[in-house]
Amino acid sequence: MSDPTPAADRLGTARLATLPAAVARPGYDRSKVTPGIVHLGLGAFSRAHLGVYTDDVLASGATDWGIVGVNLRSPAIVDALKPQDGLYTLLCRENGDDRLRVIGAFLDVMNAATELDAVLEAMAKPEIRVVTITVTEKGYCHDPATGRLNEAHPMVTADLADPMRPRSLPGLIVEALRRRRDAGVPPFTVLSCDNLPQNGRITRAVVARFAQLRDADLGRYVADGVAFPSSMVDRITPATKDADRATVAAGLGLNDAWPVVAEPFRQWVIEDRFPTGRPAWESAGAILTDDVHPFETMKLRCLNGAHSTLAYLSVLGGIETVAEAMADPLLPKVIRQLWDDDIIPTVPPVPGTDVAAYTRDLEARFRNPGIRHLTLQISSDGSQKLGPRLLAPAAERIAVKNAPRVVPLTVAAWMAFLRQGDDQGRAWLVADPMAARLTAIAREHKDDPAALADALFAVGEIFPPVIAGDAPFRKATTQHLRSLLDRGLAATLTAFLFR
C-alpha cells in the first residue's frame, strides 16, 4: 500500500518529539539500537505482541535487540512502514478507553519477494541471534494432520528446485542457516509465535526435513545444531480499519499508514532455549518456562477454539464481530457449554492458573466492544485450525467415552459455512488453503446435509480416523448441519440449548 501523505504529516523519527504528551513513545535513542532479531511475518499480531514486548526491553536499556521485520509476500505493510522509519502506533482499546503508544522496536522493514538478497544477508549476520515467526498456520507448508512438511506443496517443490532463491518459510530459513554455516557463524534460534500446538516442534520438523531434502549434511546441521523453542502467544488483535487510522491520526496529529489495534491483555509464555542469547522478555512480563505445552493447550482450545465456534455460527447468523456475538442471547451459552463440557476437561494442569477462571476472563475479553474482531476474519483457514483447536480435544473426550457436545455443532457450522452463502441472500468468501477443494464439495452436496457431511468427513487431511470413524460424532454433526440448513441458526441453537 503506497501512501501519498507528505512526510511532514506522517509519523516518523523526526516527528516523535512533536507528539502530544498523552501519546507514549520510545523512551530510548533508536539510533543507538542495533538489530538482534529478524522477524518473519509483519501482520498486526506481531506488531501488537512481539514488537511491544521487545520495545519494553529496549526501554529498559538493552541496545542490541532491535528487530528487522520481513514480510514474505505482499509489499503493502513494508510500503506503509518504510516511510515511517519502522514506527507505528498501538491503539489499545477497552470499553471506550483509547490509549496510543508509538512502538520503535522495528528498526527496518523489508519484503522478501522483492528484496530477497537483502533479507538473506540480514539473516546471515552474526548479530542476528533470533528469528521469530508469525506467518499463520498455513505459512509452515506442513500437513496439519501430521505436523510434517508437505513435500508436495508448490512452494516447497519450487524451493527445492531453486534453493538459493527461496519463497517458502522453510526454504528461507534453511538458506539463511546454510549461509551462516558456510561462513562459520553460529545458527540463530528459531522462535515460532503462531497458534500451532507445540509450534517449536512443528517448525523444527518442517525446517529440518526441508534441509534434509536439500542436502543430507545440511539436514544434520539443522536437526542437531538449531534450537526451536515453543511459545504461546495471546492478545486479541483485529484487522486495522480506516476508522482506526482516523482515530490514531486525531490522537497523534499525524498520519500513521498502518497502526495496530489490540485489547489491553497480553500474555507470552516461552520455552527458555536460546543458545546464543535472547532479549530479557521476562522483564516485560513474559513467562519463561521449561514446558510451554500446558499454556498453549489452554490457549489454543479455550480461546482459539471458542473463537472458531463463534466465527462459524456467527457468519451463518449474519453477526459481524465477536463482541456482537457475545451480546446474542444464545451464543454465550453455547460457548460456556463448549468450555465446561468439551474443553476444560481436556486441558492439563497449568502452573499458577485456574482454567475455569481463565475462561471467565475470556468471556469478558470477548465482550469488549472496543475490539471489532470480525467473525469472517476468524473463520479463515479452518482446515488448518479445526484440528488443534477443537478436533484434538474432541478426540480426547471420545477416547474416554465422553461424547463431545458442542464440537459437532461447530463442525456442522463450518460445513455449512463452506457453502459460501445461505437462503437469506447472505454471501461470503472462504479463505482457506484448501478452499477450492472444500467449496467444490459443498457445491456438489449443498442440498443434501448427509452427503455433504460424509464427503467432508472423508477429507483425511482435516479429520483423523478417531473423529471421522466415530458414529455418534458423525450423527450429531449431520443432525446439526441439517438443522442449520433447514431451520437456521436461532432455531438450531434454541433446540441445542433447551432440548
Side-chain angles (χ1 to χ4, degrees):
M1 181 182 72
S2 60
D3 194 310
T5 306
D9 298 325
R10 185 76 168 268
L11 176 63
T13 302
R15 302 303 304 276
L16 284 175
T18 71
L19 296 176
V23 177
R25 70 210 71 188
Y28 52 92
D29 185 348
R30 294 178 80 227
S31 69
K32 291 183 168 57
V33 177
T34 57
I37 301 168
V38 167
H39 179 74
L40 306 177
L42 271 175
F45 180 80
S46 66
R47 294 184 292 128
H49 195 269
L50 166 73
V52 175
Y53 277 94
T54 306
D55 198 60
D56 286 343
V57 172
L58 298 176
S60 71
T63 59
D64 58 344
W65 288 111
I67 306 172
V68 175
V70 177
N71 221 39
L72 300 189
R73 301 285 171 267
S74 169
I77 185 65
V78 175
D79 291 345
L81 296 185
K82 196 84 167 180
Q84 299 180 180
D85 306 315
L87 296 169
Y88 59 91
T89 311
L90 173 71
L91 171 57
C92 191
R93 311 193 106 159
E94 183 177 31
N95 299 326
D97 179 24
D98 288 352
R99 285 169 285 157
L100 301 179
R101 173 180 174 182
V102 174
I103 304 298
F106 284 86
L107 305 181
D108 195 9
V109 289
M110 293 187 283
N111 178 33
T114 57
E115 304 173 85
L116 180 59
D117 290 335
V119 168
L120 289 168
E121 181 181 346
M123 295 174 72
K125 289 181 178 179
E127 57 265 33
I128 298 300
R129 286 149 287 160
V130 178
V131 168
T132 52
I133 307 170
T134 53
V135 295
T136 75
E137 293 90 338
K138 62 187 174 187
Y140 288 76
C141 303
H142 75 303
D143 176 356
T146 65
R148 300 190 184 99
L149 179 71
N150 177 1
E151 297 177 22
H153 193 288
M155 286 199 295
V156 171
T157 57
D159 282 359
L160 288 173
D162 189 8
M164 294 186 184
R165 307 294 302 172
R167 296 187 301 130
S168 70
L169 175 73
L172 185 67
I173 292 174
V174 168
E175 173 58 14
L177 288 168
R178 182 199 67 79
R179 292 187 179 200
R180 293 175 77 101
R181 181 198 65 176
D182 293 354
V185 176
F188 45 64
T189 297
V190 181
L191 177 65
S192 171
C193 304
D194 278 306
N195 284 321
L196 288 164
Q198 301 181 57
N199 51 22
R201 179 187 62 79
I202 288 175
T203 309
R204 182 184 188 276
V206 298
V207 172
R209 178 57 178 164
F210 183 93
Q212 181 185 41
L213 291 171
R214 180 175 166 178
D215 174 81
D217 289 338
L218 186 58
R220 284 188 290 272
Y221 171 80
V222 172
D224 297 340
V226 181
F228 295 89
S230 289
S231 76
M232 184 278 277
V233 295
D234 189 357
R235 191 171 208 179
I236 296 173
T237 309
T240 303
K241 302 297 183 186
D242 286 341
D244 303 320
R245 291 183 175 89
T247 297
V248 169
L252 297 183
L254 297 168
N255 290 300
D256 181 343
W258 214 318
V260 292
V261 182
E263 63 173 338
F265 179 91
R266 69 182 193 190
Q267 186 178 35
W268 197 6
V269 184
I270 308 167
E271 185 182 359
D272 198 4
R273 290 195 299 118
F274 295 82
T276 54
R278 60 166 175 80
W281 283 312
E282 67 272 29
S283 69
I287 299 171
L288 277 296
T289 181
D290 292 332
D291 186 10
V292 172
H293 178 65
F295 294 92
E296 68 182 6
T297 301
M298 177 181 70
K299 191 259 180 172
L300 271 169
R301 297 181 179 186
C302 294
L303 190 156
N304 299 118
H307 261 173
S308 289
T309 299
L310 282 174
Y312 296 119
L313 291 169
S314 295
V315 171
L316 297 181
I319 300 171
E320 291 189 353
T321 72
V322 170
E324 290 165 0
M326 294 302 290
D328 181 85
L330 300 176
L331 282 170
K333 295 181 174 65
V334 173
I335 296 304
R336 177 44 59 191
Q337 283 202 11
L338 173 72
W339 283 327
D340 291 345
D341 294 345
D342 293 358
I343 300 297
I344 292 174
T346 73
V347 176
V350 183
T353 304
D354 179 330
V355 178
Y358 174 78
T359 62
R360 291 192 291 272
D361 290 342
L362 282 178
E363 184 169 356
R365 292 167 63 191
F366 288 176
R367 291 183 184 276
N368 182 355
I371 300 298
R372 284 190 55 80
H373 204 178
L374 299 180
T375 54
L376 188 59
Q377 176 192 355
I378 298 169
S379 75
S380 66
D381 304 336
S383 67
Q384 314 286 299
K385 294 174 178 177
L386 283 175
R389 296 181 179 195
L390 292 163
L391 300 182
E396 292 176 21
R397 297 297 280 160
I398 290 169
V400 295
K401 310 300 182 185
N402 284 310
R405 293 200 63 227
V406 183
V407 176
L409 175 63
T410 306
V411 172
W414 171 76
M415 291 177 172
F417 167 81
L418 295 175
R419 297 167 79 241
Q420 300 190 104
D422 60 24
D423 295 337
Q424 281 70 52
R426 288 188 288 258
W428 53 83
L429 292 176
V430 172
D432 192 290
M434 296 179 65
R437 178 179 173 188
L438 296 174
T439 56
I441 292 172
R443 282 193 303 274
E444 182 179 356
H445 303 293
K446 64 184 179 69
D447 298 320
D448 187 340
L452 176 56
D454 286 345
L456 290 169
F457 274 125
V459 180
E461 297 94 319
I462 301 174
F463 294 100
V466 68
I467 296 290
D470 186 71
F473 190 100
R474 292 178 69 112
K475 179 180 179 181
T477 300
T478 303
Q479 289 174 340
H480 293 316
L481 178 59
R482 181 176 289 108
S483 180
L484 286 167
L485 298 186
D486 292 347
R487 304 167 64 200
L489 179 68
T492 299
L493 296 187
T494 300
F496 173 76
L497 290 168
F498 303 109
R499 61 190 176 193

